[in-house]
């Protein structure tokens, strides 16, 4: 029972920082704001996370771990390559759609890199990107690593950038973004004909 309460408290604190970061960015968040938003106190936040930087890193890790799970479908031999890639993109987009403003802020942090971002970068380099490149190789027959990387970046940009920019485009510029499945269908029609 004690462990459940600790787990619930940590979860409340993590949820609070994610919500605050969506609205205010990480820069303006204080331990006091986190404690207030989570219904806890400054001592508990410090007890569980030690510092604001550790808490931010843990919250980023939580989001980035969600992305790691999306790569599993790329290994599913029961689906044709094109379907695996589509499902991967849809799953990845689903994670982006949960936190578009927050992910945009993480990207804009530039040189401020947390340990969790290094971990995710290592995952992408060692496992994630090679899986995507293998699917692209299977779909297109392309063998050149540079070409595969370029293709991967183009596909990611075409799908993920609109998702990250949708809050700005839809509210500020009155641009209606097509549903994600339609975006992927259009991309695949043009890219994998």
């Amino acid at each position: 029972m004690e462990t459940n309460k600790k787990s619930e408290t940590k979860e409340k604190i993590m949820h609070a920082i994610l919500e605050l970061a969506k609205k205010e960015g990480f820069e303006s968040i204080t331990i006091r704001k986190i404690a207030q938003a989570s219904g806890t106190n400054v001592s508990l936040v410090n007890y569980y996370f030690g510092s604001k930087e550790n808490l931010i890193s843990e919250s980023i890790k939580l989001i980035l771990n969600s992305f790691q799970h999306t790569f599993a479908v790329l290994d599913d031999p029961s689906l044709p390559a094109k379907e695996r890639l589509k499902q991967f993109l849809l799953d990845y987009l689903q994670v982006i759609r949960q936190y578009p403003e927050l992910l945009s802020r993480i990207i804009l942090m530039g040189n401020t890199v947390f340990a969790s971002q290094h971990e995710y970068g290592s995952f992408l380099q060692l496992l994630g990107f090679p899986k995507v490149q293998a699917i692209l190789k299977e779909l297109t027959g392309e063998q050149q690593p540079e070409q595969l990387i370029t293709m991967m970046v183009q596909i990611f940009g075409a799908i993920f950038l609109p998702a990250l920019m949708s809050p700005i485009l839809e509210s500020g510029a009155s641009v209606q973004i097509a549903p994600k499945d339609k975006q992927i269908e259009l991309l695949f029609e043009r890219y994998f004909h």
Side-chain angles (χ1 to χ4, degrees):
M1 183 124 146
E2 181 76 20
T3 306
N4 282 347
K5 186 154 174 71
K6 284 182 181 181
S7 183
E8 283 177 27
T9 303
K10 281 183 84 169
E11 204 171 292
K12 281 180 12 183
I13 294 169
M14 294 289 288
H15 180 73
I17 192 166
L18 291 173
E19 290 304 310
L20 284 169
K22 268 196 230 180
K23 296 174 189 161
E24 303 177 18
F26 291 110
E27 316 77 40
S28 66
I29 295 175
T30 64
I31 295 287
R32 190 167 307 289
K33 283 182 181 179
I34 296 164
Q36 184 178 6
S38 65
T40 61
N41 61 51
V42 172
S43 297
L44 272 177
V45 174
N46 284 323
Y47 172 77
Y48 286 118
F49 297 99
S51 69
K52 173 184 161 182
E53 288 71 26
N54 286 344
L55 179 52
I56 290 171
S57 187
E58 285 298 311
S59 66
I60 292 171
K61 186 177 189 172
L62 184 70
I63 295 169
L64 296 180
N65 282 342
S66 299
F67 284 117
Q68 285 186 15
H69 297 297
T70 65
F71 285 86
V73 72
L74 295 173
D75 295 326
D76 184 352
S78 69
L79 294 173
K82 196 181 276 192
E83 291 307 310
R84 282 182 278 162
L85 183 58
K86 279 183 187 179
Q87 191 58 55
F88 161 72
L89 293 171
L90 285 168
D91 293 347
Y92 208 93
L93 272 172
Q94 188 62 36
V95 176
I96 290 174
R97 294 254 180 195
Q98 290 175 359
Y99 305 104
E101 300 93 347
L102 183 54
L103 290 168
S104 294
R105 288 179 187 274
I106 291 170
I107 291 167
L108 292 173
M109 288 168 69
N111 295 335
T112 307
V113 179
F114 292 93
S116 54
Q117 289 166 289
H118 281 295
E119 290 171 24
Y120 186 65
S122 294
F123 165 78
L124 287 175
Q125 184 178 13
L126 295 173
L127 295 171
F129 289 162
K131 288 181 181 193
V132 175
Q133 290 170 5
I135 292 287
L136 291 174
K137 189 184 289 188
E138 189 176 337
L139 287 171
T140 65
E142 181 60 61
Q143 297 297 314
Q144 297 299 314
E146 301 82 22
Q147 292 292 80
L148 291 166
I149 289 170
T150 299
M151 292 166 69
M152 181 179 65
V153 170
Q154 288 174 340
I155 290 169
F156 282 5
I159 298 299
F160 304 147
L161 189 61
L164 289 169
M165 292 185 62
S166 65
I168 296 167
L169 293 173
E170 290 175 349
S171 64
S174 299
V175 172
Q176 189 61 37
I177 306 271
K180 59 187 175 185
D181 54 333
K182 296 242 189 277
Q183 291 178 46
I184 291 171
E185 285 300 322
L186 179 63
L187 177 71
F188 276 47
E189 285 172 14
R190 301 287 191 266
Y191 214 88
F192 302 115
H193 45 275

